[in-house]
Amino acid sequence: MKTTQHCQSCYMPMKKKKEFGREADGKPSTDYCCYCYQEGDFTWKPIFEEFVDGNLQFWREGCKDDDEARTNMREVFTSLKRWAE
């Protein structure tokens, strides 16, 4: 059974080759999606809270309100390679 890989920046599931970002040498990134990472660098370099706000629309489903979605994102994102401290 194949497990789904998640972007280590935004937690997007990456299943198809086109969903993976690209390293500077053109090879697929093993960690980041095509929206967060291209040509070996992040496509957007916000501070953490800007990143949370910028991804809110993708996390609203299943949450009672935006505050719950933000809480969920903060919990997940801080466990990811890009945001872990």
Side-chain angles (χ1 to χ4, degrees):
M1 181 175 183
K2 187 176 180 184
T3 59
T4 300
Q5 198 167 345
H6 289 85
C7 176
Q8 290 296 298
S9 177
C10 71
Y11 203 64
M12 180 184 105
M14 301 182 302
K15 299 176 184 176
K16 299 176 184 169
K17 189 176 182 177
K18 68 180 182 177
E19 294 171 334
F20 288 78
R22 295 277 170 198
E23 297 295 346
D25 62 5
K27 292 180 182 174
S29 170
T30 58
D31 294 318
Y32 303 108
C33 75
C34 61
Y35 300 107
C36 290
Y37 198 76
Q38 286 296 322
E39 299 176 15
D41 200 6
F42 292 107
T43 59
W44 184 36
K45 298 178 184 177
I47 61 170
F48 182 75
E49 287 302 320
E50 289 173 327
F51 193 78
V52 168
D53 287 341
N55 282 278
L56 185 59
Q57 64 182 329
F58 305 112
W59 285 74
R60 283 185 174 124
E61 188 175 323
C63 295
K64 65 181 178 185
D65 57 27
D66 285 357
D67 288 337
E68 182 180 15
R70 281 187 183 91
T71 298
N72 292 344
M73 284 190 291
R74 287 181 188 117
E75 183 177 315
V76 171
F77 288 177
T78 56
S79 71
L80 301 177
K81 188 175 183 176
R82 183 176 184 184
W83 306 108
E85 293 186 47

